[in-house]
Amino acid sequence: MGKLNMTRRAFTKLAAATAAAAAVVAPAGAALAESSSATQSKAGETKRVRSCCRGCGKMECGVWVIVENGRAIRTEGDESAFHSMGNHCGKGQASLQAAYHPDRLYHPMKRTNARGEDDPGWVRISWDEAMSTIAEKLQETMDRYGGESIFGMSGTSRIWGMFAYGALGQLVGSPNMCIPWQVCKGPRFFATALNSMMQASWMETVGRPKVYTSWGTGPELSNYDDACRTVVDVAEKADTHIVVDPRMTNLGKEADIWLNLRPGTDGAMAMGWLNVLINNDLYDDLFAKKWTDAPFLVCNDVEPSGYEVYRFTSGKCQMKTRLLKESDLKEDGDPHKFMVWDNLNNRMTYFDADSGLWEGETWSKPTAGHEGMQEHLVPGVSQGWVPDPTPFDPAIDPALYGEFEVELKDGRKSKVKPVWEYFTARVAEYTPEKVSEITGVPAESIERAAKIHATRIDPSTGYGNGGVQYQLAIEHSCNAIAMCRAMDTYIGLSGNWDVPAGHRGGTQGEFIFKAGLGAVAPGIPNISAEEFNKTLGIEDYPLLGWWQGWADDASVWKAIETGDPYPVKAGWCSTGDFMCMSNSLQKWKAFPNLDFFVCEDLWKTPTAGMADILLPAQHWLETDCPRMSQGPSGAQGATCRAIEPPADTLHDIEIATMIYKYMGKQWGPDENKWPDRIENLDIMLNTGRQGDPITWEEYKEDFQKNGWKDAKVVAPDTWGTYRRYETGMMPLKAYGDKNALEEFAKPGFGTPTRKMEIWNTLIETFMPEDEEDFLPTYKEPPLSPISDPEMNEKYPFTATSGRRIPVYFHSEHRQLPWCREMWPAPRIEINPQDAARLGIEQGDWVWIENDNGKIRQVADLYHGIAPGTVNLEHQWWFPELDQADKGYDLCGCNCLVTTGKGYQDRISGTSYLRAYPVNIYKATAENSPFGNPVPCDHNGNEIIHDASDPRLKEWLPNYDVRDEA
Amino acid sequence: MELQWPLILFTTLTAWGCGVLGGAGALALKGAGKKSQQLLAIVSCVLLALGGIAVFFHLQHWERIFNGFGHITSGITQELIAIVVFVVIAVAYFVMARKSDDGGTLPKWMAWVAIAISVVLAAVCAHSYMMPARPAWDSVLEVLSIVGAACLLGPATCAVVLAAKGEDADACGLPAVAGSAIGAVCTAAYAAFIQMSAGAFSQVGYYFDPTHPTKAVADAAATAGAQAPLLWLGAVVVGAVVPLAVCVLARKKGDAASWKLFGGVAVVAALIGAVCLRVAFYNVGLSVFMFY
Amino acid sequence: MTHYAIATDLNRCVGCLACSVACKAMNNVPVGDYWNKTLRVGPNPKADGCGTWPDVEMYFLTVQCQHCKDPECVKVCPTGASHIADDGTVQIDKSKCIGCQFCAMSCPYGVRYLNTEERVVEKCTLCEQRIAQGELPACVAQCGGRARFFGDLDKGIDSFEAPWVVDVTEGDPSYDKTEHTRITLKECVQEYKQSDVHHLPDVGNDPSFVYILRDRDWQGEE
């Protein structure tokens, strides 16, 4: 079998040997076609394995892995992957260098020097020794301090590194999982779970919105939920392209409207959009009345009460709301019956949250509707079916406005008003002029953008112009949940909730996809609500007791440092890192207080530098896993093993199952308590399966041959149909992935009231003191120039951070030559006017400091950022440094983060990573350690900061190291 | 661009060699320096050979030069041809001098041929660098600056040789002074051109090359400006004014000892100047699109 | 005559660097050297704005060998190692290269460098080994914004091609099919005027590569 694809060198030789003309003739024809299903390639053979890139934790980009003589030589975008449009970004392409990297971990290791020393003294050990030691230490800790004294850390949705998302907690009985979900996507999920449906923050960009709005994000670099190829195309073809961002972004350079707001004021902007929506009567009146709690009546004269509702993950709790229920009016009244005033019949009526029906309503699945009417869909993406909005039957007209007098069951009279009255009063505060004052964006621009977004370009579709791609920037200034609730409410009221190009959550396919293998032990229940109630941070953030998605990171690290409120003594990090949120310096200082710490990774990261045992993980090229679009891109496929894993490396699922076995805990179902990796895949594929059972081998073969599947086609009810609140097919994550029909046999949302809760009964229940947050609201970042002028006098620049670097995924890929040579050093973006004032020139190292610490980054003179604002890069560490901490403290901006109550999101505890004050000045020989403005290791050796650094070449693939390992 | 030391040495040594053979030719025209003519022909070839050795360190695959310098219009091929012709002429010059009755008489045509090839080789070597891509190089003044270097170095060297050989070094006085004067003018003219070249580069305002975050912004005006000391102090004052002054002084005194001393000073100063000019030359050798 | 080149729609280019990495992955370019780079041009203040943020504009400029019609590098090459190939691209016959590096000096764009291992000069070949087989250059095939298009200048840039999404519903989404499913520049990009079409500065070399930039100032000469 010939080589289909010549290498450049082979071609050069060929061209030299033959006439150039002869070379041109040979086409890539059928004679050269070859099987792409097998992963083993014999000598001289080229194989192509269809797969799903995991070079980052985001978009499921379809790729081809080109394997020659058993080695992956290249990865390319798969043009038949409609959801990613053949995208394969720089980090994805470069990620194969990790598989063959000379510094990769190939064996379990144990520390022989004390924690804190520059050289941990790593010594190779067997898996048995590693697992026995871990099992023993974890058991010891559990016995002495309780399971909650063990904490977990994880990375982001890959197919490895997910152990701390749940399974570790199940193993030891601990709720104390520090996962970056808390600062990325989690707050949006938390907020939308409170408001309507978990993940409703996710917008179906592949559905091609008529107005494309990118808010606090840059998928063109991050491929966050949507591929670069998709967003570039969508932005270009949209009638209007709106960007909300303090900085000019890479794609934002093309925006029609740029709302260049002050960092951290997104929440005010969202309230402003709601104001424009409502003041201009652009909202969907029927949706407001029928599918939100807007017409429910707030009664300030009753004791909050309710009924038993589900916590999000485990157990139940008692709702306590002042929304008027039948039980407030009658002695034997039903607390599920929420009262509304019917303007049509001039009487009180109710919605029954138990039956899911309005008074007198009978329900059957709607049949009237039409195909989606989207333009520019790419081949492979189908339109889907959009049910028409159903009217009230029997006809009623729930009042949104007005004040009504009711007689309570104890005979008192009370004046009640619909939630909508309170909501619109709140929203009325945020006029475009007021929002302009807060955000710095001209009022006319705010009004224009919101009007363009909310005014339907083609009313015949029956739905809005598309969603708002709001992403993680809005989560980082202590107003995360309120902002996301405002956005979700805006999306609902503007006609963009679960409609084409609107917000519809994660893709539903033929099986239930767990974001990572190893995230949850499939055969046993999660920990109990009682165990979750021990979550660290629950005192400061009581709703964590409902959400149960994470422990507050800062609170866990405070407990590690101080032992308060109880000791945390051991930890397991599954390819996570401590630099992603809260304050890195505080954590590093607290680390030695741990008795035992395990790290599972590809590398000796700074986090690994504090571990007692290192476990070698597998690379995505070496792993098998079914895969579904996390977001609404609607594709179902797989990551397929393309090369053999080296040495002692194991996949996360194997490591997870193994430690369960060593600790005598059941992982899988009763009939197979410790399944192997393929059996684990079979379990995943057949969990919640729509259609016939399937094995991984069958699934994989089909995928190799037929490629990605359109989830709208394979899951017509749960994904191919829009407005699933009408059909009862919305996935309700709170109910074990059941949909509403399965759970209630009725339509609606997954909230306690089954409505989009503009007035939020869960916040009301768990945080009764915080009345302001019952409704969407905005609060200034706690250290903004307005909140804390004194601090800002000391530190006159506002720092934002987190803009994406095209070749890195957070802390990842710094040791890959193809990445590091494209972006060798961290950069601080400074407006050239500020730079000139401070005598800073492009390429100068700059000190950035505040009360928490100081770091250095290289000046990038950038007119795309406001004077007085700087943009910092996060999670830098330096694999080239031969010391345990790998220079995490030299450049990473999370050394500057303030933590503690008041300096985190008040509901989710999400870290304050953007919009805080710093001072900057030029780094010089005089003010820098070792007399060198360039950051150095403990011995004065510089970090790599230029592509010409010879150390980069030492990181090229080394097949010998891998083979000999 | 980075300093190309082998090329700096090659250019300087070649100019020197050219100057020496050209100087010898000038003497031959007057029938002067007969005892020195053979030696001067040898010196010119030795200098060229040293230049060749320097180039050896630049060329990465010198062995392939035998595979064919097929591209006749390329500057380097022309340089090679000019060098070969120069050597042939220098050898012929040497042979004819040796065969002459006094071992130092050359026909006038041969003297003119020697002068001509010297000018041509210096010009051809310099001309290779005239590239539209490098605005600070792309001038006939750059060519003249190398010819000027030859004029500065050659006659002064001849005068030293004559003085050493006990000949009437003053015979070389006029060529030395004239050569220095020509060299001074050429050097100053090219130095001025370099200083004014900044406007010829492409400007894109603010820009960023992600691969070199710690590099300052490419700034042609600043780069050209930064060369002022090298150009005016190094190349013009030390490299041209000093040789001119000492040659005038030596010519006033007229004795062999003066020529030995001042001629030597002139040569050393001119060498320093030539190197300064080439260093500045590479420093400002930015491409017109200087951001890659 | 054929004259292969790349046209880049700079309004679609978002500086994602996928082209640069793709080139590395395909062509074994030494670490620290580049066959293509993506420069950020700007943000520069707009002509009639306040002089800084937010009245600024920027674009990303992909720079590599421009495969000029009258290349300076070929003019200065003493051995004919640098030459114009039959397909109009500028190529280097490494076996003839003596490493004099005058071609590198003569290039207006600085895209040539000395490969210190092989001791010969290298630069973008436009993936000659791929285009000879009817495939697209790696930087075009993997372009993140689908901003790059490859084709024959003599046929006009509207005919230039980028990869396009294979319709899985038609069946057989094989590698071969994905390699040969294309979209033309005209089909893919927004309309442009002749005045939106730019080249890198021309000093007599007549660069072949084409850049489309709408709605803002092209910086630098052409």
Side-chain angles (χ1 to χ4, degrees):
Chain A
M1 198 171 286
K3 286 185 181 177
L4 186 64
N5 211 58
M6 278 179 279
T7 63
R8 181 167 63 85
R9 276 167 221 293
F11 177 80
T12 310
K13 280 182 201 156
L14 177 73
T18 62
V24 178
V25 192
L32 300 173
E34 50 207 305
S35 141
S36 55
S37 58
T39 64
Q40 293 289 315
S41 67
K42 296 186 197 96
E45 273 188 339
T46 300
K47 296 285 176 200
R48 298 201 168 78
V49 181
R50 179 175 258 131
S51 196
C52 169
C53 181
R54 297 320 296 147
C56 80
K58 298 302 155 211
M59 187 62 201
E60 288 69 27
C61 291
V63 295
W64 291 102
V65 184
I66 318 293
V67 183
E68 245 176 42
N69 301 329
R71 278 178 195 161
I73 56 159
R74 192 168 64 250
T75 54
E76 299 173 1
D78 177 358
E79 295 291 340
S80 70
F82 49 86
H83 55 298
S84 51
M85 291 180 78
N87 193 74
H88 193 28
C89 73
K91 45 190 175 292
Q93 294 182 64
S95 65
L96 75 79
Q97 290 192 313
Y100 300 106
H101 201 287
D103 289 355
R104 188 180 161 183
L105 285 174
Y106 289 106
H107 311 284
M109 311 274 247
K110 72 173 177 194
R111 157 188 299 281
T112 55
N113 291 338
R115 219 188 265 133
E117 284 188 29
D118 277 349
D119 175 15
W122 295 118
V123 170
R124 177 178 169 175
I125 55 173
S126 68
W127 271 107
D128 181 56
E129 183 182 345
M131 283 290 153
S132 307
T133 311
I134 296 167
E136 186 189 324
K137 294 283 186 184
L138 292 184
Q139 194 60 54
E140 244 175 60
T141 311
M142 286 159 71
D143 293 346
R144 183 154 172 212
Y145 301 103
E148 65 273 18
S149 65
I150 296 169
F151 81 112
M153 294 163 72
S154 262
T156 56
S157 167
R158 315 294 282 258
I159 42 184
W160 70 88
M162 300 299 287
F163 191 45
Y165 276 79
L168 174 64
Q170 288 172 289
L171 175 68
V172 300
S174 171
N176 290 322
M177 299 302 132
C178 302
I179 45 183
W181 204 30
Q182 196 186 3
V183 288
C184 176
K185 214 176 266 177
R188 274 162 284 160
F189 287 4
F190 191 161
T192 48
L194 289 169
N195 212 54
S196 57
M197 170 188 81
M198 173 164 124
Q199 301 183 342
S201 45
W202 259 328
M203 165 195 173
E204 188 197 35
T205 313
V206 298
R208 304 265 158 169
K210 288 187 166 59
V211 175
Y212 175 58
T213 308
S214 169
W215 192 318
T217 187
E220 69 276 14
L221 298 187
S222 62
N223 297 287
Y224 194 11
D225 302 337
D226 284 292
C228 176
R229 284 230 171 126
T230 302
V231 294
V232 168
D233 218 42
V234 164
E236 189 188 69
K237 295 201 165 50
D239 285 22
T240 308
H241 171 197
I242 301 169
V243 168
V244 187
D245 204 297
R247 298 171 58 248
M248 172 170 274
T249 61
N250 287 34
L251 179 57
K253 70 185 168 53
E254 303 298 326
D256 299 305
I257 303 174
W258 174 23
L259 301 182
N260 52 318
L261 76 187
R262 175 165 63 89
T265 62
D266 305 77
M269 184 65 77
M271 295 302 283
W273 279 40
L274 279 166
N275 181 290
V276 174
L277 180 80
I278 289 162
N279 277 352
N280 293 280
D281 270 334
L282 294 168
Y283 65 92
D284 182 335
D285 186 61
L286 178 59
F287 183 87
K289 289 172 175 165
K290 193 169 183 196
W291 297 108
T292 78
D293 64 3
F296 291 8
L297 299 163
V298 179
C299 179
N300 291 319
D301 299 319
V302 290
E303 272 301 303
S305 67
Y307 42 91
E308 201 170 55
V309 298
Y310 289 93
R311 292 174 195 261
F312 198 75
T313 306
S314 200
K316 293 189 172 183
C317 57
Q318 185 68 30
M319 174 209 275
K320 287 180 185 161
T321 179
R322 300 195 314 249
L323 293 177
L324 191 68
K325 301 160 289 292
E326 195 190 45
S327 53
D328 296 316
L329 301 176
K330 287 197 271 186
E331 223 25 88
D332 56 349
D334 186 342
H336 293 90
K337 289 180 176 166
F338 289 93
M339 308 310 295
V340 302
W341 181 260
D342 175 12
N343 276 336
L344 194 64
N345 303 303
N346 279 322
R347 66 179 188 95
M348 281 286 177
T349 180
Y350 62 80
F351 172 75
D352 183 352
D354 191 33
S355 70
L357 300 176
W358 295 84
E359 184 180 11
E361 184 185 19
T362 54
W363 181 81
S364 59
K365 210 168 169 179
T367 50
H370 58 82
E371 280 247 295
M373 296 163 72
Q374 296 306 98
E375 293 173 286
H376 310 299
L377 292 184
V378 301
V381 178
S382 55
Q383 289 282 5
W385 185 71
V386 190
D388 293 335
T390 54
F392 284 103
D393 178 20
I396 54 169
D397 180 18
L400 293 180
Y401 293 100
E403 191 174 41
F404 311 96
E405 194 176 74
V406 294
E407 190 181 318
L408 302 176
K409 60 185 171 191
D410 58 9
R412 286 180 299 146
K413 302 274 190 210
S414 176
K415 296 251 167 95
V416 295
K417 285 194 292 188
V419 164
W420 188 256
E421 281 273 7
Y422 290 90
F423 171 62
T424 51
R426 168 74 56 76
V427 165
E429 295 167 26
Y430 291 89
T431 60
E433 292 69 29
K434 171 81 183 295
V435 175
S436 174
E437 254 173 58
I438 298 170
T439 62
V441 180
E444 354 14 304
S445 303
I446 297 166
E447 187 148 4
R448 180 167 161 248
K451 271 188 179 167
I452 286 176
H453 187 270
T455 308
R456 295 187 188 182
I457 292 168
D458 179 6
S460 76
T461 61
Y463 48 82
N465 296 329
V468 173
Q469 196 163 29
Y470 64 96
Q471 299 192 317
L472 80 172
I474 59 167
E475 298 172 339
H476 293 167
S477 307
C478 307
N479 193 53
I481 300 299
M483 159 76 195
C484 297
R485 286 224 304 125
M487 273 329 295
D488 190 47
T489 304
Y490 171 84
I491 293 302
L493 295 175
S494 64
N496 290 302
W497 211 97
D498 204 16
V499 294
H503 288 245
R504 55 185 332 225
T507 296
Q508 306 299 310
E510 290 172 294
F511 58 94
I512 300 198
F513 175 64
K514 300 287 181 194
L517 268 177
V520 180
I524 57 168
N526 211 323
I527 61 173
S528 66
E530 289 66 42
E531 285 170 304
F532 271 121
N533 278 339
K534 294 178 189 165
T535 299
L536 285 163
I538 202 168
E539 301 290 318
D540 289 342
Y541 313 103
L543 259 170
L544 294 182
W546 168 79
W547 172 237
Q548 302 163 330
W550 55 69
D552 171 49
D553 182 63
S555 304
V556 171
W557 282 92
K558 193 165 157 259
I560 294 171
E561 190 184 341
T562 63
D564 182 52
Y566 56 79
V568 173
K569 297 309 263 183
W572 180 309
C573 175
S574 157
T575 67
D577 84 70
F578 69 90
M579 305 174 289
C580 62
M581 53 183 162
S582 310
N583 185 295
S584 314
L585 296 167
Q586 289 171 4
K587 293 187 191 180
W588 188 261
K589 205 174 111 215
F591 248 128
N593 293 353
L594 292 174
D595 289 343
F596 185 67
F597 188 57
V598 186
C599 239
E600 172 191 337
D601 214 302
L602 291 170
W603 314 105
K604 289 171 188 156
T605 63
T607 312
M610 277 292 181
D612 296 284
I613 287 191
L614 297 184
L615 303 176
Q618 275 172 8
H619 189 272
W620 68 268
L621 291 171
E622 299 153 359
T623 56
D624 283 312
C625 185
R627 192 83 205 175
M628 191 108 60
S629 295
Q630 296 170 80
S633 323
Q636 182 183 300
T639 297
C640 297
R641 178 176 278 187
I643 56 173
E644 286 303 306
D648 288 340
T649 62
L650 287 179
H651 187 210
D652 207 38
I653 190 75
E654 296 172 291
I655 298 173
T657 312
M658 200 193 309
I659 189 62
Y660 265 66
K661 193 167 186 180
Y662 268 79
M663 295 190 73
K665 181 106 175 174
Q666 175 174 345
W667 168 272
D670 290 347
E671 64 275 14
N672 186 0
K673 289 181 179 164
W674 297 290
D676 66 19
R677 68 180 185 94
I678 300 294
E679 290 165 344
N680 266 303
L681 300 178
D682 293 340
I683 292 171
M684 191 207 272
L685 279 170
N686 294 293
T687 302
R689 183 158 190 84
Q690 304 188 14
D692 298 331
I694 193 168
T695 65
W696 163 248
E697 290 306 330
E698 292 163 346
Y699 183 89
K700 182 171 172 173
E701 195 184 328
D702 179 65
F703 174 64
Q704 289 301 323
K705 187 160 177 290
N706 299 315
W708 292 82
K709 291 207 184 324
D710 180 354
K712 286 202 190 109
V713 174
V714 300
D717 291 334
T718 51
W719 194 247
T721 301
Y722 291 95
R723 290 198 174 110
R724 288 162 295 166
Y725 51 85
E726 293 269 15
T727 66
M729 283 296 173
M730 238 167 51
L732 304 179
K733 303 277 182 187
Y735 307 106
D737 292 309
K738 287 178 190 162
N739 57 48
L741 278 190
E742 287 171 286
E743 181 64 21
F744 312 118
K746 289 296 176 296
F749 293 83
T751 58
T753 60
R754 285 209 239 162
K755 298 297 175 199
M756 175 178 275
E757 291 196 358
I758 299 173
W759 177 285
N760 199 274
T761 60
L762 287 164
I763 297 176
E764 193 184 9
T765 301
F766 281 82
M767 301 172 68
E769 313 296 316
D770 184 13
E771 289 209 26
E772 185 178 343
D773 272 305
F774 297 177
L775 294 166
T777 189
Y778 167 69
K779 281 189 179 175
E780 270 284 315
L783 293 171
S784 82
I786 291 161
S787 307
D788 194 340
E790 208 172 299
M791 186 70 93
N792 282 267
E793 203 164 299
K794 195 169 164 197
Y795 300 113
F797 285 87
T798 297
T800 184
S801 74
R803 79 96 152 65
R804 294 308 186 238
I805 301 168
V807 289
Y808 298 129
F809 181 63
H810 299 297
S811 68
E812 206 169 345
H813 303 327
R814 297 299 191 293
Q815 64 282 77
L816 305 188
W818 288 339
C819 294
R820 194 72 183 276
E821 65 177 322
M822 296 293 165
W823 202 288
R827 297 165 13 184
I828 169 175
E829 289 175 342
I830 312 172
N831 186 284
Q833 293 183 349
D834 288 333
R837 189 164 52 77
L838 298 169
I840 293 168
E841 290 179 13
Q842 187 155 302
D844 284 344
W845 284 94
V846 175
W847 281 108
I848 307 132
E849 69 177 18
N850 63 14
D851 281 348
N852 298 301
K854 59 195 275 192
I855 56 166
R856 274 168 290 178
Q857 301 195 351
V858 170
D860 175 357
L861 270 51
Y862 192 73
H863 263 304
I865 195 162
T869 302
V870 292
N871 181 42
L872 310 175
E873 292 185 4
H874 66 296
Q875 274 171 291
W876 271 86
W877 60 285
F878 302 95
E880 62 269 26
L881 302 187
D882 190 18
Q883 62 194 35
D885 70 10
K886 300 287 180 188
Y888 83 90
D889 56 344
L890 296 172
C891 300
C893 67
N894 286 359
C895 294
L896 308 177
V897 167
T898 306
T899 60
K901 191 166 169 64
Y903 300 96
Q904 295 172 223
D905 182 67
R906 56 198 175 276
I907 296 173
S908 61
T910 298
S911 202
Y912 184 14
L913 303 177
R914 309 191 196 213
Y916 52 79
V918 297
N919 193 22
I920 62 170
Y921 51 93
K922 185 172 165 170
T924 62
E926 292 72 39
N927 66 22
S928 305
F930 302 103
N932 191 348
V934 180
C936 296
D937 71 5
H938 296 159
N939 300 312
N941 301 308
E942 290 184 356
I943 59 165
I944 292 173
H945 54 85
D946 190 85
S948 61
D949 197 302
R951 285 173 287 180
L952 288 172
K953 293 193 178 174
E954 294 167 16
W955 284 340
L956 282 167
N958 189 321
Y959 303 106
D960 296 336
V961 168
R962 184 184 161 103
D963 292 344
E964 286 160 17
Chain B
M1 67 183 290
E2 285 166 14
L3 299 181
Q4 306 290 319
W5 282 107
L7 293 182
I8 291 172
L9 293 176
F10 170 71
T11 310
T12 306
L13 290 164
T14 304
W16 196 358
C18 289
V20 170
L21 190 64
L27 290 171
L29 280 179
K30 295 204 290 186
K34 288 178 190 282
K35 281 192 226 165
S36 305
Q37 285 292 354
Q38 290 180 28
L39 179 58
L40 289 173
I42 291 169
V43 166
S44 72
C45 285
V46 167
L47 289 169
L48 225 59
L50 289 173
I53 291 169
V55 155
F56 179 84
F57 288 101
H58 174 75
L59 291 185
Q60 302 293 313
H61 282 286
W62 60 271
E63 78 285 358
R64 291 184 189 160
I65 62 172
F66 303 112
N67 294 355
F69 265 41
H71 195 203
I72 199 77
T73 55
S74 73
I76 295 193
T77 304
Q78 291 170 347
E79 278 184 57
L80 186 71
I81 293 167
I83 287 169
V84 170
V85 172
F86 181 96
V87 171
V88 168
I89 289 170
V91 169
Y93 190 97
F94 173 81
V95 171
M96 284 177 87
R98 191 178 177 86
K99 281 194 176 166
S100 70
D101 300 338
D102 54 8
T105 301
L106 287 138
K108 286 218 159 139
W109 65 265
M110 191 62 204
W112 279 115
V113 166
I115 293 169
I117 189 61
S118 298
V119 173
V120 167
L121 176 57
V124 164
C125 284
H127 183 255
S128 294
Y129 296 96
M130 268 184 68
M131 297 171 177
R134 311 234 164 207
W137 297 2
D138 196 27
S139 166
V140 72
L141 294 173
E142 187 270 330
V143 176
L144 290 179
S145 76
I146 299 297
V147 175
C151 293
L152 277 160
L153 287 162
T157 306
C158 292
V160 175
V161 170
L162 260 60
K165 280 264 184 181
E167 290 194 279
D168 176 15
D170 213 32
C172 205
L174 185 63
V177 170
S180 302
I182 293 168
V185 170
C186 291
T187 304
Y190 185 47
F193 175 80
I194 287 179
Q195 296 272 269
M196 291 185 298
S197 66
F201 292 86
S202 195
Q203 299 291 338
V204 298
Y206 287 92
Y207 76 96
F208 206 97
D209 171 0
T211 67
H212 295 293
T214 50
K215 269 194 186 165
V217 170
D219 183 343
T223 309
Q227 308 312 312
L230 272 176
L231 288 171
W232 299 109
L233 206 63
V236 175
V237 174
V238 175
V241 175
V242 168
L244 178 61
V246 294
C247 285
V248 168
L249 202 62
R251 183 152 166 75
K252 271 192 181 160
K253 299 211 169 182
D255 58 296
S258 297
W259 273 112
K260 265 191 206 165
L261 175 65
F262 291 123
V265 170
V267 170
V268 171
L271 274 176
I272 291 170
V275 170
C276 285
L277 186 65
R278 294 319 277 177
V279 168
F281 170 87
Y282 283 104
N283 283 342
V284 294
L286 302 167
S287 61
V288 62
F289 183 84
M290 55 192 168
F291 316 108
Y292 192 76
Chain C
M1 271 296 284
T2 309
H3 199 117
Y4 286 141
I6 289 175
T8 307
D9 184 336
L10 298 183
N11 296 95
R12 289 180 69 98
C13 174
V14 289
C16 75
L17 308 182
C19 56
S20 297
V21 177
C23 177
K24 291 265 169 185
M26 183 62 70
N27 294 307
N28 200 19
V29 181
V31 172
D33 294 312
Y34 307 89
W35 286 9
N36 71 14
K37 269 191 191 180
T38 308
L39 305 176
R40 188 186 79 213
V41 177
N44 283 307
K46 283 183 191 167
D48 47 1
C50 69
T52 182
W53 178 94
D55 298 336
V56 294
E57 58 184 27
M58 75 169 172
Y59 59 91
F60 295 91
L61 185 65
T62 52
V63 184
Q64 67 205 85
C65 173
Q66 302 288 299
H67 295 275
C68 308
K69 291 177 194 150
D70 196 4
E72 296 295 323
C73 52
V74 171
K75 285 181 210 164
V76 303
C77 177
T79 64
S82 283
H83 62 281
I84 298 179
D86 291 343
D87 60 5
T89 61
V90 176
Q91 302 294 350
I92 300 169
D93 179 347
K94 287 187 174 180
S95 68
K96 286 188 183 170
C97 177
I98 60 170
C100 74
Q101 301 159 66
F102 270 63
C103 56
M105 296 185 210
S106 75
C107 173
Y109 317 116
V111 297
R112 288 175 168 246
Y113 65 90
L114 182 77
N115 178 323
T116 50
E117 254 177 53
E118 296 181 50
R119 294 179 291 129
V120 291
V121 169
E122 287 184 335
K123 59 142 196 110
C124 156
T125 61
L126 217 48
C127 290
E128 56 175 336
Q129 78 279 18
R130 285 172 64 88
I131 61 177
Q133 297 177 88
E135 295 168 357
L136 294 167
C139 58
V140 173
Q142 305 300 330
C143 171
R146 212 186 301 279
R148 286 157 86 79
F149 300 83
F150 168 80
D152 180 358
L153 269 186
D154 295 342
K155 295 185 180 145
I157 59 169
D158 282 348
S159 73
F160 279 28
E161 291 180 335
W164 182 241
V165 182
V166 168
D167 190 344
V168 281
T169 62
E170 288 174 357
D172 185 33
S174 63
Y175 181 83
D176 196 48
K177 193 169 176 184
T178 60
E179 277 283 286
H180 294 97
T181 303
R182 306 277 167 84
I183 189 168
T184 64
L185 181 143
K186 190 174 172 57
E187 291 165 335
C188 186
V189 311
Q190 300 294 99
E191 281 188 18
Y192 60 91
K193 300 191 290 285
Q194 212 42 47
S195 57
D196 298 329
V197 176
H198 304 279
H199 295 88
L200 290 188
D202 179 6
V203 294
N205 47 305
D206 200 356
S208 302
F209 276 31
V210 175
Y211 298 94
I212 298 171
L213 180 65
R214 307 167 196 78
D215 309 327
R216 73 205 63 166
D217 289 336
W218 171 262
Q219 298 288 335
E221 292 72 34
E222 299 208 27

